[in-house]
Amino acid sequence: MSDPALSGPAPSALRHAVLVHLRRHGPSAPDSIAAAIGASRSGVAQQLRALDTAGLVTRTSVRHGVGRPHHLYDVTPDAQDLFPSNYDALASGLLAAIEAVGGDDLVDQVFAARRRQLGNRVREQMSERISSDAPLAERVRELAVIQANNGYLADTILAPDGTVRLREHNCAIYNIAKGSPAACQAELDLFSEVLGATVVREEHIVSGDRCCSYRVTESLAD
């Protein structure tokens, strides 16, 4: 039987109200939370137990004179992800500032530096799971797993003729990519470098396609 504290729209709304109150007012007792948000004490206590179990609130015992101690609850750092964030606007603003300082050349340098950082990380992750001389299809599949873990909903298609394609069904940096072509170019260059292959973009989410699709082929020897 499911726990009513963890299911249904009403408990979720109550849970959110409890978290917002704690964020605004700091350590609070269940009675004061219930009075402030207009909910029953039992309902608030139920939500606090669920949040405590999930590691989203902490409980501190405070004793005033004789009798049982009072419990005060407060949010933990892990609860931050449940509150609104605006990282896209921050990143867009930083890119605009970089462009204002150094123009397109400096923006390109920033994305190139980020590409090198990501490249080192991706190569390290791939080396832990496959050998450096793994077949191209296996390398592409492993890169797709990494990109999927980064929020890109990535997968791999191996066509009957042997053509390998990497597809990303979500752009995790869409708002950045819309405003800066350098972001997409950096991704294309990253894939080519970590795969040691020729990568051609055939579909592009920013251009209105349903996915970003990349055809990957072995690079011709010089």
Side-chain angles (χ1 to χ4, degrees):
M1 186 174 181
S2 62
D3 185 346
L6 298 174
S7 61
S12 295
L14 177 56
R15 190 157 58 247
H16 179 71
V18 170
L19 287 167
V20 170
H21 176 86
L22 292 175
R23 174 64 79 189
R24 287 181 179 275
H25 302 285
S28 306
D31 289 336
S32 64
I33 298 172
I37 66 176
S40 68
R41 187 192 185 285
S42 61
V44 168
Q46 194 174 38
Q47 296 303 321
L48 287 170
R49 285 194 296 272
L51 291 166
D52 188 17
T53 299
L56 300 174
V57 301
T58 57
R59 184 179 68 169
T60 304
S61 297
V62 178
R63 186 177 295 278
H64 295 287
V66 297
R68 298 175 62 183
H70 297 287
H71 296 301
L72 298 181
Y73 292 83
D74 198 6
V75 292
T76 68
D78 288 342
Q80 178 59 47
D81 289 341
L82 302 178
F83 295 94
S85 59
N86 197 14
Y87 295 119
D88 280 351
L90 173 62
S92 297
L94 288 173
L95 283 177
I98 291 169
E99 185 176 12
V101 171
D104 290 340
D105 286 345
L106 184 55
V107 173
D108 290 343
Q109 291 176 42
V110 168
F111 276 108
R114 179 177 181 272
R115 186 191 76 237
R116 288 191 292 271
Q117 292 175 339
L118 289 176
N120 291 335
R121 189 184 313 159
V122 170
R123 277 187 285 268
E124 182 178 343
Q125 291 175 309
M126 292 179 69
S127 67
E128 293 173 353
R129 299 166 65 131
I130 60 174
S131 63
S132 59
D133 59 350
L136 177 63
E138 187 175 350
R139 302 200 305 271
V140 176
R141 278 195 295 268
E142 189 56 40
L143 178 58
V145 170
I146 293 172
Q147 289 299 95
N149 290 336
N150 289 331
Y152 288 86
L153 300 179
D155 61 21
T156 308
I157 290 181
L158 181 60
D161 65 358
T163 301
V164 183
R165 285 182 173 85
L166 169 65
R167 300 186 305 176
E168 295 177 329
H169 300 275
N170 177 58
C171 178
I173 58 168
Y174 180 72
N175 289 329
I176 302 301
K178 274 198 311 181
S180 180
C184 296
Q185 184 60 47
E187 181 180 69
L188 187 62
D189 293 341
L190 170 69
F191 291 170
S192 179
E193 290 173 6
V194 299
L195 293 171
T198 299
V199 181
V200 177
R201 182 187 291 114
E202 297 180 317
E203 295 179 89
H204 196 196
I205 290 176
V206 171
S207 298
D209 295 323
R210 290 295 302 272
C211 70
C212 287
S213 177
Y214 300 88
R215 176 166 47 86
V216 186
T217 56
E218 293 283 10
S219 297
L220 298 175
D222 294 333

